[in-house]
Amino acid sequence: MCRRIFAVLEDRQKADPENENSITTEELGNLVGLKKRATQNHLSNLFQRGRLDADRRTPIPGIPTVAQPQLPGAVEWARRVIESDPVFAPDPTCAKCLVALAGFGWRGQIAPAELAAAAGVSVRSIERHRPHLVEWDYIRFRIVPVPDEGTGKFKGGRKPSRFELMSGFYARPLTDEERALVPGRAAQIIDRVRWYVGVSPEERFNAETAVGFVLRAGWPEEAILKALDASEDRHAFNPNGYLHKLLGKLRGQRYLIPAQESFTGEGYRRLAECSVCRNTTWTTAPASHRVLCGGGVCLEAGSEHDTRDVRPLHRSA
């Protein structure tokens, strides 16, 4: 990705040597398919390696190509996996591929040629060894098809695949106490699916039953809600059929824990309810953890006491 950003800046420098129309970080990120924060990280890496001037927009030629900046968390996880799992001992190419992928983060989008350059191997080696990492449950790839403009269909080609590093471990079976809570959890999940409206009580019961099967397979609430597009205000022609179609992607599969969640204890950034004041707040804590709107304290109550009757604190001057 650093190479791609550097190439874009080089092309702009050739087209506009005087840099009269400077490009913003957001515009640069849109050109290479990155968010603002990730673009800033790559620009900093290029500047630190002497590829960009102090303005972080002017390329400095005549220096060998830079490598992808490594993200300590993901790379450290990859190195620990390689050291602890004996499957990598006879297959050093797979180890190179895993470390190279970790250099791009816990998840992202990458083409085989880009991964081959980062790993220092050929594209053919990448195509041969990438399935091994998938088989060992250390990576999941998702094909990104190319939409055909005007028709709404997809062409035969595809964009670089999206990937996510996985821990290699599946969610543990639920205990008897946890299984007893499944019906209530399933009902709460259905309540949060905005587009699931206008159904009969029987259809609602069947939907909760279907979600319950997925919960018993170890899938957390947030992963199920993400698969159901719960935050979308869509108008489904057949809400019940659409819900079962989306659940079909998860049904019959055990939940493979993402590497980031396993290594750091954090998952996707999500909205959750503070367990004290009941206000919504952003968190990366797992769904099973207690959430407070101030991180380690409730901002409304000023304490960690779990009570629904939150009273303001009166402090003397």
Side-chain angles (χ1 to χ4, degrees):
M1 195 59 69
C2 276
R3 298 184 183 92
R4 192 180 301 177
I5 291 176
F6 188 80
V8 170
L9 293 176
E10 274 190 324
D11 292 339
R12 288 186 60 85
Q13 187 183 44
K14 294 176 183 177
D16 184 14
E18 300 299 328
N19 196 22
E20 295 178 354
N21 300 315
S22 180
I23 187 173
T24 65
T25 305
E26 291 88 349
E27 293 172 344
L28 181 58
N30 291 334
L31 291 175
V32 298
L34 288 177
K35 294 184 179 179
K36 181 179 178 180
R37 181 64 180 273
T39 306
Q40 290 174 338
N41 290 340
H42 288 285
L43 288 172
S44 297
N45 178 69
L46 289 168
F47 171 70
Q48 292 170 4
R49 293 175 178 268
R51 297 308 311 274
L52 295 180
D53 204 350
D55 61 358
R56 287 173 167 76
R57 295 296 184 275
T58 305
I60 301 176
I63 302 178
T65 305
V66 297
Q68 178 74 17
Q70 292 186 341
L71 307 179
V75 173
E76 179 62 24
W77 166 83
R79 288 174 177 168
R80 292 187 185 182
V81 166
I82 292 169
E83 292 173 357
S84 60
D85 196 332
V87 297
F88 288 98
D91 198 343
T93 304
C94 279
K96 291 180 181 179
C97 293
L98 186 63
V99 172
L101 276 170
F104 290 88
W106 297 108
R107 61 188 64 85
Q109 188 172 358
I110 189 171
E114 193 174 5
L115 177 57
V121 298
S122 65
V123 176
R124 187 173 182 179
S125 294
I126 292 294
E127 296 292 352
R128 185 185 303 117
H129 291 272
R130 194 171 67 168
H132 299 168
L133 296 175
V134 175
E135 181 183 355
W136 299 335
D137 293 328
Y138 286 127
I139 188 74
R140 284 291 181 266
F141 286 98
R142 182 167 62 86
I143 296 175
V144 183
V146 180
D148 191 2
E149 297 181 2
T151 65
K153 299 180 180 179
F154 292 92
K155 298 179 181 178
R158 66 188 188 190
K159 296 181 180 179
S161 300
R162 297 189 184 277
F163 75 90
E164 182 174 9
L165 299 177
M166 311 304 288
S167 65
F169 297 100
Y170 287 87
R172 61 172 177 78
L174 300 185
T175 63
D176 292 339
E177 292 78 7
E178 291 171 335
R179 295 177 72 87
L181 300 175
V182 164
R185 292 171 59 195
Q188 292 176 357
I189 289 176
I190 295 297
D191 289 337
R192 293 175 61 183
V193 180
R194 294 183 180 181
W195 50 263
Y196 191 73
V197 293
V199 297
S200 66
E202 182 180 359
E203 289 176 330
R204 163 84 187 208
F205 175 78
N206 291 335
E208 293 179 4
T209 303
V211 171
F213 282 121
V214 179
L215 285 170
R216 291 184 183 91
W219 287 83
E221 285 89 340
E222 292 303 320
I224 298 175
L225 288 168
K226 183 180 179 182
L228 293 177
D229 293 333
S231 61
E232 297 292 332
D233 289 324
R234 64 174 77 249
H235 298 283
F237 176 75
N238 181 5
N240 200 55
Y242 185 52
L243 181 136
H244 285 280
K245 177 182 178 181
L246 295 178
L247 279 180
K249 302 176 183 178
L250 312 181
R251 194 180 294 117
Q253 300 183 31
R254 297 167 60 197
Y255 178 65
L256 181 60
I257 302 173
Q260 182 182 16
E261 180 180 335
S262 174
F263 186 72
T264 66
E266 298 181 350
Y268 292 101
R269 190 168 180 260
R270 61 185 179 88
L271 275 174
E273 188 180 73
C274 176
S275 58
V276 177
C277 65
R278 306 302 168 184
N279 291 331
T280 55
T281 182
W282 287 103
T283 181
T284 56
S288 58
H289 285 212
R290 184 165 175 262
V291 176
L292 297 172
C293 56
V297 66
C298 174
L299 298 178
E300 291 284 338
S303 70
E304 297 184 359
H305 297 297
D306 189 2
T307 173
R308 293 180 180 270
D309 300 322
V310 179
R311 300 177 180 178
L313 297 179
H314 299 282
R315 296 184 176 89
S316 58

